[in-house]
Amino acid sequence: MNVVQVQELTRIYTTTQGFLKQKKRDILAVDGVSFEVNQGELFGMLGPNGAGKTTTIKILTTLLLPTAGRALVMGHDISRESQAVRRQINVIYGGERGLYRRLTGQQNLLYTADLYGVEPPIAQKRVAELLELVGLDKRADERVENYSRGMAQRLHIARGLINDPSVIFMDEPTIGLDPEAAHFIRQRIKWLTGQGKTVFLTTHDLWEADQLCDRIAILKKGKIIALDTPRELRRLVGDVQVVEVETFGMPEEKRAGLEAALKTSFVSVATYGPKQTIAIQTQNPNEVTAQVQQLLKGVKVLNIRVREQSLEDVYLRLVQEDKS
């Protein structure tokens, strides 16, 4: 069963520019996007800032109307049946948005339950169960302002389940968390799909998407440029390996020369202060390794290795290859 159906979804923003804001300009945020999400699926959406991820979620959660196209959630049209959609969904944000810091964890959940029209006896029982699920049952009577960031995010998970939604939208739920807290949240996300819930996840953490998602849509400039399982997405760029080189103090002209000499391979460079990490995707790793060693003569090379490609490598190639 398709619990989310999106057909040619488009959203155009009109902004004003110039002195006294007299000049209008249209911005195409979502450009004819179509996809479906299956019941019980963990569906991921990736893309650079400004790609249209947040706008898509806002439309699907009835916070924005589309300019064109159609979307159904649990069989209900998001434009004409918004109230019916809202009863079937919930949204879990990353960070501290959506929580009342001067209320206790329990009070936050009871208030949210009341907003969703959950009957008081059911709400009391559900709040207790959810606090135990996220490991906050012993801290339920403390104000949220005294919670750590990880605890606040656990409360977000509980808040997002208070109305027993069929579809849960998660917007970067592990952003800013330490590894232990992020691991806890990911485990709970996996548990949700095991309970038959459908999860729609946006994240900038490529490792997280690779580990959690059944399928992933990659957006660029409002369009879906790839949609498949993590395994199949890797196959989009062919049978390649990655030559990874760590350097120190590499001059810009050396970098430009390296990219020019390896123009048949996809090259990405990440800079961390004086250090650089160069990732070269190639079908001939031994040949490229020897070539790189020649090209980087005079540069301090800290490490060079050959590894299998990751989802991050595929993502970077898809979103950066065509920069037009």
Side-chain angles (χ1 to χ4, degrees):
M1 176 184 174
N2 298 131
V3 298
V4 178
Q5 296 173 286
V6 177
Q7 301 170 352
E8 295 296 322
L9 201 65
T10 300
R11 174 69 190 196
I12 299 173
Y13 291 101
T14 300
T15 64
T16 53
Q17 293 180 321
F19 184 64
L20 298 180
K21 296 185 176 179
Q22 293 179 344
K23 185 178 180 181
K24 291 186 177 181
R25 183 168 72 96
D26 289 338
I27 298 175
L28 188 57
V30 179
D31 186 6
V33 166
S34 298
F35 61 90
E36 296 176 341
V37 182
N38 303 316
Q39 183 175 7
E41 183 175 25
L42 207 165
F43 185 89
M45 184 167 278
L46 308 177
N49 291 332
K53 304 185 302 297
T54 299
T55 300
T56 300
I57 279 194
K58 285 183 176 180
I59 292 172
L60 295 178
T61 56
T62 75
L63 297 178
L64 277 178
L65 286 172
T67 306
R70 190 180 185 213
L72 302 177
V73 177
M74 296 301 294
H76 300 291
D77 188 283
I78 53 98
S79 300
R80 294 184 288 105
E81 303 171 278
S82 59
Q83 289 300 323
V85 171
R86 290 170 189 169
R87 285 193 289 269
Q88 298 276 353
I89 68 170
N90 210 323
V91 184
I92 295 172
Y93 297 103
E96 299 178 358
R97 293 175 292 169
L99 296 177
Y100 297 92
R101 295 180 56 78
R102 294 183 65 82
L103 298 181
T104 67
Q106 185 179 55
Q107 288 170 338
N108 265 272
L109 296 185
L110 288 171
Y111 177 66
T112 304
D114 186 56
L115 290 178
Y116 276 96
V118 181
E119 294 294 331
I122 298 174
Q124 290 283 351
K125 182 174 183 293
R126 193 171 291 172
V127 166
E129 291 172 347
L130 290 173
L131 286 169
E132 184 176 0
L133 173 69
V134 298
L136 291 176
D137 47 315
K138 293 182 173 62
R139 311 288 293 272
D141 295 323
E142 291 185 32
R143 286 185 177 183
V144 172
E145 63 187 1
N146 296 322
Y147 282 10
S148 67
R149 188 159 191 170
M151 290 169 63
Q153 197 57 37
R154 293 186 190 192
L155 189 62
H156 266 304
I157 297 289
R159 180 183 176 278
L161 299 176
I162 197 68
N163 62 322
D164 193 23
S166 299
V167 186
I168 305 163
F169 294 86
M170 296 190 176
D171 189 10
E172 298 190 59
T174 60
I175 187 170
L177 299 183
D178 63 63
E180 184 179 1
H183 176 75
F184 181 92
I185 298 300
R186 291 181 188 121
Q187 291 299 108
R188 289 301 177 267
I189 294 172
K190 287 183 179 180
W191 180 85
L192 287 172
T193 55
Q195 300 301 304
K197 303 293 185 184
T198 302
V199 177
F200 191 111
L201 173 73
T202 66
T203 180
H204 284 293
D205 189 325
L206 278 296
W207 183 87
E208 178 174 271
D210 197 7
Q211 293 296 307
L212 293 178
C213 295
D214 299 308
R215 290 188 302 143
I216 296 170
I218 299 177
L219 265 66
K220 178 182 177 183
K221 296 181 180 178
K223 289 180 176 290
I224 292 179
I225 59 173
L227 197 168
D228 217 319
T229 65
R231 181 177 181 179
E232 291 301 317
L233 285 175
R234 288 186 179 88
R235 294 181 179 179
L236 283 178
V237 297
D239 183 19
V240 301
Q241 291 183 294
V242 180
V243 177
E244 191 171 82
V245 187
E246 295 178 19
T247 63
F248 185 93
M250 180 175 65
E252 181 59 36
E253 58 270 20
K254 281 283 188 180
R255 170 179 171 171
L258 185 72
E259 291 177 336
L262 299 172
K263 58 185 178 181
T264 59
S265 302
F266 179 77
V267 181
S268 64
V269 182
T271 301
Y272 311 94
K275 294 183 179 180
Q276 301 82 33
T277 299
I278 308 161
I280 306 155
Q281 298 181 35
T282 177
Q283 293 181 334
N284 304 296
N286 293 333
E287 179 182 320
V288 167
T289 299
Q291 191 175 2
V292 166
Q293 289 173 329
Q294 288 294 320
L295 291 167
L296 292 182
K297 278 189 174 179
V299 175
K300 187 173 182 180
V301 176
L302 303 176
N303 187 34
I304 184 167
R305 67 189 181 105
V306 178
R307 61 171 173 80
E308 297 300 316
Q309 64 175 337
S310 66
L311 181 62
E312 181 175 4
D313 298 316
V314 175
Y315 170 84
L316 289 173
R317 183 163 185 166
L318 289 173
V319 300
Q320 292 182 9
E321 269 193 326
D322 177 16
K323 296 184 179 181
S324 60

